[in-house]
Amino acid sequence: MKQKLHPWRVLTSIILGAAVIVAAPVGSEERNMNEKIAAAATKIEPQLIEARRWFHQHPELSNREEKTSAEIARRLEAMGYEVQTGVAHHGVVAVLKGALPGPVVAWRSDIDALPIQEQVDVPYRSTNDGVMHACGHDIHTTVGLGAAEVLMELRDQLHGTVKFIFQPAEEGAPVGEEGGASLMIAEGVLEHPMPDAIFGLHVMPIAEAGYVAVRPGGFMAASDRFTITIHGRMTHGSAPHDGIDAVYVASQVVTALQTIASREVDARKSLVVSVGTLNAGSRYNIIADKDVLTVTVRTHDPETWAEIPKRFELIVAGISEANRATYELNYERTAPVVDNDEGLTGFAQASFTRSLGAEHVHVVDPIMAAEDFAYFQQQIPGGYFFLGVANFAEGWTDYVHTPTFRPDEKAIVAGVKAAASLLTDFTSRDPMGAED
């Protein structure tokens, strides 16, 4: 058994103004609604686990989520929703209009999987060879469906309107394709009706199942994806002077890229540069004439984010020229910073405190992982949160994007309670001051 990790590290210096919100009077109607949500979520917990296991067994890659999308639509229609499909290829949208007046709020769940071979020995393991829900999007989808079912049951007591968005391709569209949050926005997912705010969550195995974590402002990093192709000249390995060694050039590029963070960026600013792949050569005794590097860059600092492409270009160009090689450099802005609205974050913290208990709600440091939920936040105020899924007693603490990631399914019902309560709190209290 792995050593128990410390729960969410609370940043005591951040107050959020949440104490005032938490201390605000909670009416009997709101308490009654939270109790009904908790009861309804607990009642359907077995069905939620069954749904999550179906999605886990049938993972699909970005922009290829045909079966996933169809199953989401089928389940929503069975609840009584009118469903819009085919948004940004395989996105699904459902809108619930409550019986009482109030604002519009959206909940986003991502639905795609990763090209990872699962190594978790469970009866419901992936049946799609080489594809796995290693980032927990199967739980995100299930939480969204669970909240949709609970709120449909309580529709007669619901204020305002809730829009459920099930998003494909959060992990990034295949090369040459469009997809994800930006494409959904371009195709009008935030219109008819336009939400006043949007919320979402991501599972994280750094705390026990049932914990949630919040943070105002920068929460997750901006992310770029670079592809560098270096062209040399092939020759026999015994005569390197007759060729241009693309592997040697690439090795210099890899080393030099690390100096951007260590020598060119203020140490008080965040920056991660990681070369994920380097592919070159065909035989041990042949000097390679081409190699391809793929790189991810993460930062929370807008100025650093803006300057990175220029620095990459200068480094790759200089090293290539010095070694008589040529190059191609392509970069993609994967996602901006996940920047949580401070007011919404404080509001959500208070809501989670009521629905889950104060001991299960904490404020955490930002992380360097990225999320294209940030594109929604560029359009409307948004709040993004973490849901703990670790089980320390069982040793289920492996991180997301690994073949041994195993979330504790007890987190699902907690996620549904937190999501459904937050959405109803928002539409009944209207913290953004929207008109009915």
Side-chain angles (χ1 to χ4, degrees), residues 3 164 333:
Q3 183 178 4
F164 292 97
R333 294 294 200 192

Side-chain angles (χ1 to χ4, degrees), residues 64-391:
R64 305 291 184 268
E65 309 94 338
E66 293 95 341
K67 292 181 181 178
T68 303
S69 175
E71 181 65 12
I72 292 168
R74 184 191 71 78
R75 289 176 181 269
L76 288 168
E77 288 169 349
M79 298 174 198
Y81 283 91
E82 292 185 8
V83 178
Q84 180 184 4
T85 59
V87 183
H89 302 301
H90 302 296
V92 181
V93 180
V95 177
L96 176 61
K97 186 170 179 56
L100 303 171
V104 181
V105 65
W107 182 268
R108 177 274 209 164
S109 305
D110 40 4
I111 68 174
D112 54 330
L114 288 162
I116 292 176
Q117 184 68 45
E118 183 167 11
Q119 296 178 11
V120 181
D121 187 15
V122 291
Y124 51 89
R125 66 184 300 167
S126 171
T127 58
N128 190 352
D129 191 51
V131 183
M132 176 188 175
H133 270 298
C135 199
H137 295 188
D138 50 344
I139 291 184
H140 302 175
T141 299
T142 305
V143 168
L145 288 170
E149 184 170 356
V150 167
L151 295 187
M152 175 61 81
E153 181 178 329
L154 300 172
R155 183 176 189 176
D156 291 344
Q157 301 164 65
L158 178 67
H159 288 263
T161 299
V162 181
K163 176 179 278 191
F164 292 97
I165 299 171
F166 294 86
Q167 180 206 307
E170 187 281 325
E171 298 293 352
V175 175
E177 298 182 20
E178 293 183 296
S182 58
L183 185 58
M184 291 197 94
I185 293 167
E187 294 188 2
V189 75
L190 295 180
E191 302 170 9
H192 313 300
M194 168 72 82
D196 298 293
I198 187 168
F199 296 104
L201 60 76
H202 201 297
V203 298
M204 278 291 169
I206 57 176
E208 291 275 1
Y211 280 79
V212 294
V214 302
R215 180 181 177 82
F219 189 45
M220 301 178 74
S223 172
D224 291 343
R225 179 168 60 191
F226 286 80
T227 301
I228 304 167
T229 304
I230 295 173
H231 299 278
R233 185 170 65 244
M234 187 180 294
T235 185
H236 195 279
S238 65
H241 58 281
D242 287 335
I244 299 173
D245 190 345
V247 172
Y248 173 68
V249 177
S251 66
Q252 292 187 61
V253 168
V254 172
T255 300
L257 290 180
Q258 309 308 312
T259 66
I260 299 176
S262 65
R263 291 296 178 267
E264 297 189 36
V265 174
D266 189 327
R268 292 168 294 183
K269 297 180 180 180
S270 61
L271 177 65
V272 171
V273 177
S274 296
V275 179
T277 65
L278 197 169
N279 296 301
S282 59
R283 185 174 167 82
Y284 77 100
N285 62 348
I286 297 175
I287 298 294
D289 65 342
K290 176 183 175 180
D291 51 33
V292 179
L293 303 85
T294 59
V295 189
T296 185
V297 176
R298 311 297 176 98
T299 181
H300 282 269
D301 181 64
E303 292 182 3
T304 301
W305 195 45
E307 288 295 318
I308 283 295
K310 300 176 187 177
R311 296 304 306 149
F312 264 58
E313 187 81 36
L314 288 171
I315 287 172
V316 177
I319 292 174
S320 297
E321 182 179 0
N323 290 279
R324 299 176 292 117
T326 60
Y327 73 94
E328 299 161 13
L329 191 155
N330 297 303
Y331 74 90
E332 176 187 352
R333 294 294 200 192
T334 306
V337 172
V338 173
D339 190 8
N340 285 335
D341 181 272
E342 294 199 13
L344 285 182
T345 303
F347 184 85
Q349 185 181 16
S351 176
F352 295 152
T353 297
R354 291 190 292 270
S355 61
L356 299 179
E359 69 279 9
H360 290 94
V361 185
H362 297 289
V363 180
V364 292
D365 286 329
I367 66 172
M368 298 305 290
E371 240 288 349
D372 78 351
F373 182 85
Y375 285 113
F376 292 113
Q377 293 178 312
Q378 290 188 330
Q379 304 298 316
I380 57 177
Y384 200 63
F385 318 104
F386 289 153
L387 174 67
V389 291
N391 185 317

